[in-house]
Amino acid sequence: MSETLFSKIIDRSIPAEIVYEDEHILGFNDINPQAPVHVLFIPKIAIATHNDIKPEHDQVIAQLHHAINIYAKEIGEDENGYRIVMNCNANGQQTVFHIHMHFLAGRQMLWPPG
Ligand code: 5GP
């Protein structure tokens, strides 16, 4: 398993503002927030890109979504709404190769995203 910035956040070898944690999922504030709330939700197991998600990951991907739902409700943004985004590879502008869902909330989102 290759080490990434996010595996170092999981093992606490680099710091992050952790806002959500359960057995399988970690959520922490993005260092360069693009909205009043910008949290990165990651599985604790390493999956490099969206392309690498396999049927064996069904459970953890569901857990990722459940964690986001719990957090959105906890901070009172579930009814207002939010955006979740997963970037993949170069055209998607993925920079960290451990899948992560960007959770953006607290302002009106725009479309197209650019
Ligand atoms: P990507 O571009 O791969 O979809 O998203 C990577 C995200 O990680 C970016 O939004 C970037 O701001 C964030 N990021 C990069 N380095 C760090 C860091 O050291 N700590 C935290 N919390 N976020 C980071």
Side-chain angles (χ1 to χ4, degrees):
M1 192 171 81
S2 65
E3 205 172 58
T4 65
L5 179 63
F6 291 171
S7 64
K8 292 180 191 163
I9 288 176
I10 292 166
D11 70 19
R12 281 17 182 211
S13 58
I14 66 166
E17 292 173 13
I18 293 169
V19 298
Y20 178 91
E21 182 165 22
D22 65 31
E23 194 184 340
H24 304 287
I25 307 296
L26 198 63
F28 51 92
N29 288 328
D30 195 293
I31 206 166
N32 182 22
Q34 302 301 310
V37 179
H38 186 172
V39 175
L40 301 173
F41 282 88
I42 66 174
K44 290 184 178 177
I45 60 161
I47 303 170
T49 78
H50 192 273
N51 293 330
D52 300 304
I53 297 173
K54 307 287 186 230
E56 73 214 52
H57 300 127
D58 284 358
Q59 201 175 345
V60 78
I61 296 302
Q63 286 160 339
L64 189 66
H65 287 282
H66 294 314
I68 291 168
N69 283 351
I70 291 166
Y71 183 70
K73 195 172 171 64
E74 189 178 295
I75 64 165
E77 294 289 353
D78 53 333
E79 294 300 327
N80 293 332
Y82 50 84
R83 180 167 290 166
I84 53 176
V85 177
M86 188 183 290
N87 298 323
C88 182
N89 281 338
N91 278 1
Q93 292 212 310
Q94 182 178 5
T95 59
V96 180
F97 290 86
H98 179 126
I99 59 163
H100 46 284
M101 198 72 91
H102 294 259
F103 173 88
L104 300 146
R107 68 166 169 83
Q108 178 64 59
M109 301 298 151
L110 303 174
W111 197 264

